[in-house]
Amino acid sequence: MTHPVTGIDHVFLLVNDLDEAARRYQALGFTLSPRGVHSAAKGSANHTIMFPNDYFELLGILTPTEGNLARRQSIEAMGEGLHAIACRIEDATAGADALAGLGIKTTGLGAFERPVPLPDGSTGVAAFTTVSFAPEELPFGTVFMCQHRTRETVWLAELLTHPNTACGLDAVLALSDDPQADATRFARLWADGKVMMSAGGATVDTGPDSAPLSLLTRAALEGLYPGFDLDQTPKGAFTALRIRVRDMNAARACLDAAGIVPVATTLGLAVAPQEACGMILEFVPG
């Protein structure tokens, strides 16, 4: 049985106030898609921040509904921030069957669409099929699979250029009490999942041209991001996102213009969770 999951497609921040989150990320130097409003049953909306091979999104609740109860409970219990990883998959339905054959449980297979404003002034449709890994397969956080049925309305050329020169996801980082055990469980979710141990943590290779997932102890994360309060990130989800930028000077100029003072790290520049909606955001050369 061939494992169908080939990497990380995107991640999302679940935010308290979508308008405020959009303002903050524009100030950080990102180009945001126009607000994408989901169905009345979902009661939510998003902005995407697109790169050539992956992206991240800001997701907010507009109207409380039965369909978004779980999201509302998550943000209430855990706080806003980096709640979910969406994995690359060619066919979600067939993928769920293949994963079952490998002894990996999934749940919630479903399809949805949202309208997309297009450059010519018309409106297109972005369509997806998703399926989630069952909660018992995960050490923490939310991980699901996303099949893009209309890539042409998601990867729009005008969304790929950012004032801060961001060009891709570099890594997802998370706080872990037992990095080796958590990494071993997470690695099962990807076809090329491999665990590499390091001082204070473990990293999961999620596939070619795909951001790795690093699980780190509190001491190791505090060492990477001195002075940052990790308790300002969601409890039981993901902690930090590294973004590759082509020009670190351009990224720094955007932060300066926004009045944001980053922390210099061994790899680049990091923005505190208070400035990035509950997530540590790190810019690294790429």
Side-chain angles (χ1 to χ4, degrees), residues 41-104:
K42 284 184 174 291
S44 57
N46 75 341
H47 293 277
T48 60
I49 298 172
M50 304 301 302
F51 309 123
N53 295 316
D54 47 32
Y55 65 100
F56 72 101
E57 69 175 288
L58 311 174
L59 178 66
I61 303 300
L62 302 183
T63 304
T65 69
E66 183 178 350
N68 60 42
L69 176 61
R71 295 269 190 256
R72 288 185 284 121
Q73 289 174 333
S74 291
I75 201 166
E76 182 176 352
M78 301 162 65
E80 69 176 350
L82 190 55
H83 277 245
I85 294 172
C87 300
R88 295 174 184 159
I89 199 164
E90 289 295 322
D91 185 319
T93 304
D97 291 339
L99 289 166
L102 294 169
I104 300 173

Side-chain angles (χ1 to χ4, degrees), residues 38 63-64 75 107 119 123 159 163 165 175 186 194 200 236 241 253 261:
H38 303 146
T63 304
I75 201 166
T107 184
T123 300
L159 299 179
T165 71
L175 179 65
F186 273 121
K194 301 178 186 67
L241 184 64
V261 180

Side-chain angles (χ1 to χ4, degrees), residues 181-205:
D182 289 345
T184 299
R185 291 182 65 191
F186 273 121
R188 297 178 67 241
L189 308 185
W190 288 279
D192 293 328
K194 301 178 186 67
V195 176
M196 296 161 285
M197 298 302 300
S198 60
T203 296
V204 179
D205 183 350

